[in-house]
Amino acid sequence: MEAAVVKREGPSGGFGGGPGRRPGMPDLTTGPIGPTLVTFALPVLGTNILQSLSGTSNAFWVSHVLGPAALTATTNANQVFFLMMGAMFGVSMSANLLIGQAIGSGDRDLAKRVVGTCIIFFLAISLLVGLTGFLATPGILAAMGTPADARADATTYLRVIFMAIPIMYFFSFVQMAQRGTGDSRTPFYFALLAISMEVVLNPILITGFGPFPRMGIAGSASATLICQGLTLAAIIFWLHRKDSILIPRPGELRNLIPDLTIIRSLVFKGLPMGLQMFIMSFAALTMTSFVNSYGSTTAAAYGVAMQMWAYVQMPAMALGMAVSSMAAQNVGAGRMDRVDQVARTGVGYAALLSALPILLIYVAGPLAPRLFLPEGSPSIAIAQHINYFVLWGFIPFGMSFILSGIVRATGSVWPPLISMIIAMWGIRIPVAVLLEPWLGADAVWISFPVGSIASCLLAMAWYRWGNWRKSSLLAAFAPRGAEPAPDLAAAPPRVETP
């Protein structure tokens, strides 16, 4: 599904958010909040489900064909991969929000300049990260304390993943930017294409089915590289055919010249958001290093538990992306009253939709980890034990994710980062370290919900009492001598159906 397309006259005779909006472009600044939020979030949720299914398929084939040590290898390598993706998440999200605010305000030219600068920026950074990571892989895994029996497989797997990083970074940017325009359906379709191919190709390359060579664990990572590359080429071709704002036309190639003002905004606003994801991923890496000290059986159980956690977090993650895109367009249009409505609706949906999969996993008991592990594996009971401690904590985590997404959409990006540092490194990690001598591995599991509750309380406090409503990403692009932007917090509300 896609956000409802509302054709309305802008102040200069355009459509949607103003003169920059083309007829038929999705408009997130009008209409009922609840249905619009759900219809925008559903394709994002579908994309997240597909990505987790791909991870589940990978975990199934690796564990059943190659064994627990290979599963531990992919778990360790994927933590590094998520760290690298998280490092660039902030710039992708900053581009998303800047495009959304520009479209909401009717400034299509600014949106095109942002896209052009981001294309060059992402190409340069992704190539640098991919090459550096490929060379540094052995040292990274050694620093993580990857178990010796999993080290060789993890090195092979991670090096192929780093080769795929440039493609995956750029694919992520295209998906984020498309959502910034108000379209969440197109990224879903192409994610479906990529992951469908990967689910089929993964076991073929791992096992060497038919004429294909048996590549073992390298086959799993190679499937990701091949399928992401083909899909990226397909989405670029499709967007070009549709005359998308995301694809510069021959007469617009000047937009590919990096704009330093845009780069500064992307970096300085994107850096805190990227650091937030980086801190979360680095905290997960630290937790993985704690778990690795208990051996491959516990590490495999932890990897399986994380597969289930991915499904639990998906509704809140999808809603977080949706509320950020909706809030960005409404901030650009000066509709802070709708931003508050989006926040309230999003928090309620996040709590409810996080609780449902948690309840299902609790009811399923040992059946859930058996989807990922062979019958009789000692890791099954450990994974179930981990879930008893951790799962319920994803409800407050989902609520905090929504509130942080709302705040970031205005350009207030540092408070969510500070809150995350406090929750992860001031509370979660110390709880695990301090309690481990008495509780063993249970200290690690207990630290998860403790950190989530802290994150939620901090997000609620800043949303309630912070000055984030006075921020705007577009402020840096205001012409010199122009009147200052109005205080959105003081803007009179316009009543609409919630």
Side-chain angles (χ1 to χ4, degrees):
M1 290 186 174
E2 188 173 14
V5 176
V6 181
K7 297 184 178 182
R8 59 185 176 90
E9 290 289 336
S12 301
F15 291 86
R21 187 184 295 279
R22 290 163 45 195
M25 286 187 70
D27 186 0
L28 305 179
T29 63
T30 60
I33 297 292
T36 302
L37 178 61
V38 170
T39 55
F40 188 88
L42 280 176
V44 183
L45 176 60
T47 301
N48 292 344
I49 291 174
L50 289 172
Q51 290 171 342
S52 292
L53 285 174
S54 175
T56 299
S57 173
N58 177 46
F60 174 86
W61 287 106
V62 168
S63 65
H64 284 71
V65 175
L66 304 176
L71 180 60
T72 299
T74 60
T75 299
N76 278 253
N78 281 332
Q79 289 297 322
V80 179
F81 165 66
F82 294 145
L83 183 67
M84 294 299 99
M85 292 300 291
M88 286 304 291
F89 169 84
V91 179
S92 298
M93 195 65 188
S94 183
N96 175 323
L97 300 178
L98 191 51
I99 291 170
Q101 285 196 22
I103 289 175
S105 68
D107 196 338
R108 181 176 170 83
D109 289 338
L110 174 58
K112 282 183 169 289
R113 285 162 48 206
V114 172
V115 169
T117 297
C118 284
I119 288 173
I120 301 303
F121 184 86
F122 271 85
L123 283 175
I125 296 298
S126 63
L127 289 172
L128 178 62
V129 171
L131 178 60
T132 302
F134 183 89
L135 297 175
T137 291
I140 293 171
L141 294 174
M144 288 178 61
T146 303
D149 57 351
R151 187 77 59 86
D153 279 346
T155 300
T156 300
Y157 182 88
L158 187 56
R159 276 188 158 162
V160 178
I161 288 295
F162 271 117
M163 291 171 62
I165 280 287
I167 293 172
M168 300 176 85
Y169 269 9
F170 203 75
F171 191 24
S172 175
F173 158 66
V174 171
Q175 289 179 308
M176 284 278 202
Q178 192 72 13
R179 290 168 187 153
T181 68
D183 175 15
S184 61
R185 186 167 58 184
T186 298
F188 168 74
Y189 289 149
F190 283 96
L192 177 60
L193 173 64
I195 292 166
S196 297
M197 291 191 298
E198 189 172 340
V199 167
V200 173
L201 190 59
N202 200 314
I204 290 176
L205 295 182
I206 290 175
T207 63
F209 181 80
F212 294 90
R214 180 182 175 89
M215 300 178 65
I217 200 166
S220 177
S222 297
T224 300
L225 171 62
I226 294 168
C227 297
Q228 291 271 337
L230 291 175
T231 306
L232 177 60
I235 194 171
I236 290 174
F237 176 76
W238 188 89
L239 292 173
H240 183 270
R241 290 288 301 271
K242 292 294 183 179
D243 192 23
S244 170
I245 193 175
L246 303 180
I247 303 296
R249 313 306 294 183
E252 300 170 341
L253 295 181
R254 66 185 183 281
N255 289 323
L256 293 175
I257 300 173
D259 185 310
L260 294 182
T261 303
I262 292 174
I263 289 178
R264 281 196 298 270
S265 182
L266 290 173
V267 172
F268 290 120
K269 295 296 185 180
L271 180 62
M273 291 187 282
L275 284 175
Q276 185 170 350
M277 297 302 294
F278 187 89
I279 287 166
M280 290 177 62
S281 297
F282 192 61
L285 271 177
T286 303
M287 290 299 191
T288 300
S289 68
F290 290 163
V291 175
N292 284 339
S293 66
Y294 291 93
S296 292
T297 300
T298 299
Y302 181 62
V304 165
M306 287 196 296
Q307 288 286 334
M308 289 182 272
W309 301 346
Y311 290 100
V312 170
Q313 295 177 78
M314 280 189 292
M317 299 290 280
L319 286 166
M321 291 296 302
V323 299
S324 290
S325 296
M326 287 186 68
Q329 286 200 16
N330 281 281
V331 168
R335 298 298 314 277
M336 188 55 67
D337 58 306
R338 280 179 60 87
V339 172
D340 285 325
Q341 292 178 53
V342 169
R344 290 192 295 270
T345 305
V347 166
Y349 283 168
L352 175 63
L353 296 179
S354 296
L356 291 177
I358 290 171
L359 181 61
L360 288 175
I361 293 175
Y362 278 141
V363 171
L367 295 178
R370 283 178 188 168
L371 295 173
F372 307 90
L373 292 164
E375 184 69 28
S377 170
S379 297
I380 292 175
I382 298 175
Q384 186 180 4
H385 178 76
I386 293 171
N387 280 335
Y388 284 143
F389 284 94
V390 175
L391 277 177
W392 65 270
F394 286 109
I395 296 175
F397 171 82
M399 296 168 65
S400 67
F401 196 82
I402 298 297
L403 295 175
S404 294
I406 292 288
V407 169
R408 285 194 301 262
T410 66
S412 178
V413 292
W414 285 102
L417 171 63
I418 295 170
S419 297
M420 184 61 63
I421 292 173
I422 294 172
M424 295 293 105
W425 291 94
I427 297 176
R428 176 184 287 182
I429 301 296
V431 165
V433 172
L434 293 174
L435 295 183
E436 192 173 19
W438 290 274
L439 300 179
D442 284 350
V444 178
W445 322 140
I446 290 171
S447 70
F448 278 90
V450 172
S452 295
I453 292 171
S455 178
C456 185
L457 292 176
L458 290 169
M460 291 172 65
W462 182 251
Y463 180 85
R464 174 65 179 82
W465 292 294
N467 64 351
W468 56 274
R469 290 173 177 83
K470 298 181 179 181
S471 301
S472 174
L473 286 169
L474 297 183
F477 302 96
R480 291 186 179 181
E483 294 183 4
D487 182 351
L488 296 177
R494 295 191 335 207
V495 179
E496 292 191 17
T497 305

